[in-house]
């Protein structure tokens, strides 16, 4: 009981530099006006990139991620929205210069998640615990096998099919959150990034004691906050031992309430978006 109360208190005492947000695109059907509001509030190069998505679903997730970054920086660094300049490094990771605020975004299916932190690298990854590949699960596992150590694979390959899928996504989120925190993305050999869980994930609680080994050496300076959020797994990776905080669901209005326009209106851009299919059939 004491531990549960302590966790609740800690999560409600989060500093404003530390945020966890989630947005559900499933219930967001932007009107032309809303879409215009969203794309006028992000940088022009991001607007162009998002314009190239074939499906609405992907454009929506990506623009929400951009708005989350802008909101976090404008509120936390106290920089006016229109003065923020997000850059991308050589591995495509968004960052801002000369600032100790770090952030990361992930999307899967309808959810977009964001983690913001001060003075610590942060990576976040979300996966829905639901196999959606075109191949059979055994073929998918055969192809993915090379990204895991033997010990990890033993852990994954246990229990019912559903349990295997859930455990697979748990390990995948751990690995991706780490490669996103260090910024390399999937350019490094994931087999050398190994995790040793100490307990199963549970609903309505965090798991924070999973250990990371890189090239067989334990990395005590990296901490993983693992969450089960409805039927999604979310993992936040940090290089500071700091307590986990709850994810807060944002509405579109909360996301843009202090947004400022950065680019001109663009009727054609709006029309192209409105005409797109939501997702592949
Ligand atoms: C980073 C990476 C692991 C993300 O994989 P994913 O599961 O498809 O995507 P997620 O939804 O979890 O995260 C995507 C978000 O992470 C961020 N991101 C992109 N690259 C990143 C990186 N190298 N490190 C950390 N975060 C990154 C972006 O905000 C991105 O959102 P956006 O595409 O809307 O801008 C994968 O894209 C990768 O390995 N990239 C690095 C290698 C690469 O592609 N380099 C290209 C050079 S141009």
């Amino acid at each position: 009981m004491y531990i549960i109360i302590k966790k609740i208190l800690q999560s409600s005492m989060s500093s404003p530099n530390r945020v966890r947000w989630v947005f559900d695109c499933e219930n967001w059907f932007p009107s032309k006006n809303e879409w215009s509001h969203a794309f006028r509030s992000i940088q022009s190069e991001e607007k162009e990139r998002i314009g190239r998505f074939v499906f609405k679903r992907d454009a929506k997730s990506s623009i929400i991620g951009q708005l989350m970054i802008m909101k976090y920086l404008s509120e936390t660094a106290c920089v006016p929205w229109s003065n923020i300049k997000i850059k991308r490094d050589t591995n495509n990771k968004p960052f801002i210069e000369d600032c100790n605020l770090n952030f990361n975004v992930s999307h899967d299916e309808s959810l977009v998640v964001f983690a913001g932190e001060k003075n610590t690298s942060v990576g976040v990854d979300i996966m829905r615990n639901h196999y959606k590949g075109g191949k059979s699960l055994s073929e998918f596992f055969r192809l993915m096998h090379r990204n895991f150590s033997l010990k990890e694979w033993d852990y994954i390959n246990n229990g019912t099919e559903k349990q295997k899928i859930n455990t697979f996504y748990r390990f995948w989120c751990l690995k991706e959150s780490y490669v996103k925190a260090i910024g390399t993305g999937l350019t490094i050999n994931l087999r050398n990034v190994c995790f040793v869980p100490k307990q199963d994930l549970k609903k309505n609680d965090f798991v924070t004691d999973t250990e990371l080994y890189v090239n067989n050496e334990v990395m005590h300076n990296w901490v993983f906050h693992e969450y089960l959020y409805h039927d999604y797994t979310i993992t936040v990776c940090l290089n500071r031992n700091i307590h986990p905080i709850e994810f807060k669901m944002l509405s579109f209005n909360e996301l843009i309430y202090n947004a400022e326009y950065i680019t001109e209106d663009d009727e054609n851009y709006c029309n192209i978006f409105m005409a797109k299919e939501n997702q592949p059939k």
Side-chain angles (χ1 to χ4, degrees), residues 52-66:
R52 289 195 289 275
F53 281 111
V54 174
F55 297 107
K56 259 190 191 151
R57 182 188 63 181
D58 301 322
K60 285 196 314 187
S61 299
S62 202
I63 210 161
I64 293 296
Q66 282 297 310

Side-chain angles (χ1 to χ4, degrees), residues 138-229:
S138 56
E139 176 62 3
F140 175 69
F141 274 3
R142 194 185 64 76
L143 293 170
M144 297 306 282
H145 193 264
R146 68 176 87 103
N147 295 305
F148 298 88
S149 69
L150 289 176
K151 236 171 142 183
E152 287 178 317
W153 201 254
D154 279 349
Y155 205 99
I156 293 169
N157 221 357
N158 228 315
T160 63
E161 188 164 284
K162 181 68 186 140
Q163 284 166 332
K164 287 182 191 173
I165 292 169
N166 291 355
T167 316
F168 174 85
Y169 286 130
R170 176 181 185 186
F171 275 92
W172 192 251
C173 281
L174 284 161
K175 287 182 192 247
E176 279 221 346
S177 68
Y178 174 67
V179 297
K180 292 180 76 186
I182 62 174
T184 58
L186 300 174
T187 57
I188 62 168
N189 186 349
L190 291 184
R191 206 175 183 145
N192 298 332
V193 176
C194 297
F195 289 91
V196 179
K198 307 284 178 206
Q199 55 180 310
D200 288 340
L201 296 186
K202 31 190 186 276
K203 285 226 151 90
N204 306 322
D205 205 355
F206 322 101
V207 167
T208 60
D209 57 358
T210 298
E211 282 183 340
L212 165 67
Y213 288 75
V214 178
N215 297 323
N216 297 321
E217 198 187 321
V218 65
M219 299 281 136
H220 289 302
N221 52 333
W222 289 97
V223 174
F224 297 83
H225 298 165
E226 298 176 82
Y227 306 76
L228 278 179
Y229 188 90

